Amino acid sequence: IWIGAVDSAAGDTLISLAEYSDDYWPGPITGGTFDPNGVTDGSYRVYKLYSDSLSDNPNQDYDDWPSSQGAPVDGDGNPKTIGDQFLWAVYNDLNPGVRSNDASTPDGMGVEVHQSTFAFAREGALANMLYLRFRIYNKGNKVLKNTFVSLWADPDLGDAGDDLVGCDTLLSLGY
């Protein structure tokens, strides 16, 4: 995920990204900063639930569901999922020690990302589809405007050096 915005006070363009390098750090923003234990804290991970992981057949991720980190819950406080497989994680862009890409802003923007990834084990239109939902929160001290979000991908067909790509501008389609 790439996120870009303008700091409305300073007028600076701010960018956080993930591609070959990664500006994001596990866990939520707490007290205005990142948790330095983000990589070693076992509660900052990708949680995975299946439709049969719910109340009739709970797994460890169901039992450890991180509602305190912002994971979605229903009215009874149980994990709220979509689809037949559901993954959830939280991360932020405030650790300057992981920011190594020349395209990114050295200090981060102060965004916290709640990522839900889900799929359906079905036939028809929902078959073989993967859905991503990003809830992005500005928890920093900057007022962000003109914000853009994009997904970055580097797919290869065979070898990375022999790919043929193109676009159809009339259909807004890449291939």
Side-chain angles (χ1 to χ4, degrees):
I1 184 171
W2 283 48
I3 304 172
V6 175
D7 177 348
S8 67
D12 297 330
T13 300
L14 308 172
I15 298 172
S16 289
L17 58 92
E19 46 158 51
Y20 295 119
S21 61
D22 191 351
D23 292 341
Y24 300 105
W25 186 252
I29 294 174
T30 307
T33 191
F34 68 97
D35 182 344
N37 299 315
V39 171
T40 58
D41 186 328
S43 71
Y44 302 147
R45 65 178 193 269
V46 177
Y47 289 82
K48 184 188 298 186
L49 297 179
Y50 296 92
S51 56
D52 67 353
S53 300
L54 303 180
S55 58
D56 61 336
N57 188 19
N59 65 13
Q60 192 62 48
D61 283 352
Y62 180 91
D63 294 337
D64 295 342
W65 195 246
S67 57
S68 64
Q69 296 177 28
V73 294
D74 64 18
D76 295 325
N78 298 313
K80 184 177 181 180
T81 65
I82 303 169
D84 297 303
Q85 184 177 11
F86 184 84
L87 290 80
W88 188 88
V90 60
Y91 46 92
N92 69 80
D93 74 338
L94 283 181
N95 183 349
V98 298
R99 302 179 77 80
S100 61
N101 193 299
D102 291 337
S104 64
T105 306
D107 297 327
M109 297 189 294
V111 294
E112 178 179 296
V113 180
H114 296 196
Q115 181 176 336
S116 298
T117 306
F118 55 96
F120 297 87
R122 314 256 168 95
E123 296 295 324
L126 294 179
N128 300 315
M129 297 292 290
L130 178 72
Y131 298 88
L132 302 171
R133 176 192 291 170
F134 298 95
R135 294 186 187 261
I136 302 167
Y137 301 90
N138 180 4
K139 293 196 172 180
N141 57 7
K142 299 172 181 148
V143 177
L144 304 176
K145 67 177 188 176
N146 299 329
T147 303
F148 287 86
V149 177
S150 179
L151 294 178
W152 181 85
D154 183 23
D156 292 319
L157 300 172
D159 184 81
D162 66 0
D163 293 345
L164 298 175
V165 298
C167 67
D168 184 327
T169 57
L170 297 176
L171 295 175
S172 295
L173 176 72
Y175 57 89

